[in-house]
Amino acid sequence: MDVDVRRVLTYVVTNGERFDPGVRLDCLDVLKTRTGEEKMCGMRCWRQARKDQNAAVRMKALEALARCHGG
């Protein structure tokens, strides 16, 4: 994945309260496909799984975490 694209996706996930839940879901979908980037995926997704206001975003983050850790 291009470094700039990853940076934007990570920014959206990390600063979720600034973005629409649909945008956060889309970003998590893309990030979860990059399971080889385990450290980045784990940190960002863990935060969203715990703190996002939207239940669908929390679920998507949990799915991404499971994929990052071989689940």
Side-chain angles (χ1 to χ4, degrees), residues 12-68:
V12 171
V13 171
T14 304
N15 297 283
E17 65 281 351
R18 296 180 179 190
F19 299 95
D20 179 75
V23 173
R24 297 191 309 267
L25 285 169
D26 290 343
C27 290
L28 284 167
D29 269 339
V30 173
L31 287 172
K32 82 176 187 177
T33 64
R34 297 297 174 185
T35 59
E37 300 166 14
E38 193 170 313
K39 181 180 177 185
M40 183 277 304
C41 178
M43 290 175 16
R44 297 324 186 260
C45 293
W46 178 249
R47 180 179 186 275
Q48 289 311 112
R50 290 183 49 224
K51 298 187 178 201
D52 200 280
Q53 299 170 358
N54 186 284
V57 174
R58 290 192 306 269
M59 287 299 297
K60 187 68 70 175
L62 288 172
E63 290 173 14
L65 276 170
R67 183 171 281 199
C68 286

